[in-house]
Amino acid sequence: MTSQKRVFIFDDNTDILELCTIILEDAGYEIKTSATSNDIIGQVNAYIPDIIFMDNWLPDVGGIDATRALKNDEQLKHIPVIYFSANNDVRSLAEQAGADGYLSKPFDIMELEEIVSKHLSVI
């Protein structure tokens, strides 16, 4: 069996983190979550995920700045970042951040699984 693909989810809402963890673990992914984007580079380097979900509203460093930091890092910029927000303008925020895609909250379970498999099938 091949090793599991790793998903890292940044969101300050613990209910969202738990829901995504249940859905994606059931789909066969290894999940790591964080409620803060503090030391975003260090957190991501410690796990090296295959895909990242980034909430817009995170304490200290917001999702846009955290995504930009990842996309400016030579070692990490290849990892797809999916912007993940209930904001009405999630598409625009994702573009500002330099994210590889976006997912609006509330989301459909199938939508979440599809976006993960779409971005991981490219790897």
Side-chain angles (χ1 to χ4, degrees):
M1 182 176 153
T2 59
S3 63
Q4 284 183 306
K5 294 290 187 181
R6 297 170 143 207
V7 180
F8 203 152
I9 306 165
F10 289 90
D11 199 310
D12 62 339
N13 182 327
T14 54
D15 292 338
I16 293 278
L17 292 177
E18 285 177 30
L19 178 67
C20 290
T21 298
I22 291 165
I23 293 166
L24 294 173
E25 280 182 345
D26 278 355
Y29 299 103
E30 187 180 315
I31 311 300
K32 183 168 176 61
T33 63
S34 178
T36 173
S37 54
N38 282 344
D39 185 27
I40 187 78
I41 301 298
Q43 285 195 67
V44 173
N45 262 322
Y47 187 62
I48 306 295
D50 296 293
I51 189 169
I52 296 167
F53 280 85
M54 183 68 68
D55 184 29
N56 187 53
W57 305 109
L58 288 164
D60 304 314
V61 180
I64 288 178
D65 289 337
T67 301
R68 285 179 178 161
L70 291 169
K71 291 301 180 183
N72 286 325
D73 186 280
E74 281 303 311
Q75 310 288 291
L76 305 174
K77 67 183 181 184
H78 69 282
I79 300 170
V81 176
I82 307 304
Y83 218 72
F84 188 50
S85 178
N87 188 297
N88 292 338
D89 211 6
V90 64
R91 182 181 186 166
S92 172
L93 293 170
E95 287 171 6
Q96 285 177 49
D100 299 278
Y102 64 91
L103 180 63
S104 299
K105 293 182 206 167
F107 56 86
D108 174 281
I109 292 172
M110 292 301 293
E111 219 179 345
L112 176 66
E113 290 177 348
E114 283 170 16
I115 203 161
V116 172
S117 63
K118 176 185 137 191
H119 283 276
L120 293 184
S121 65
V122 175
I123 294 174

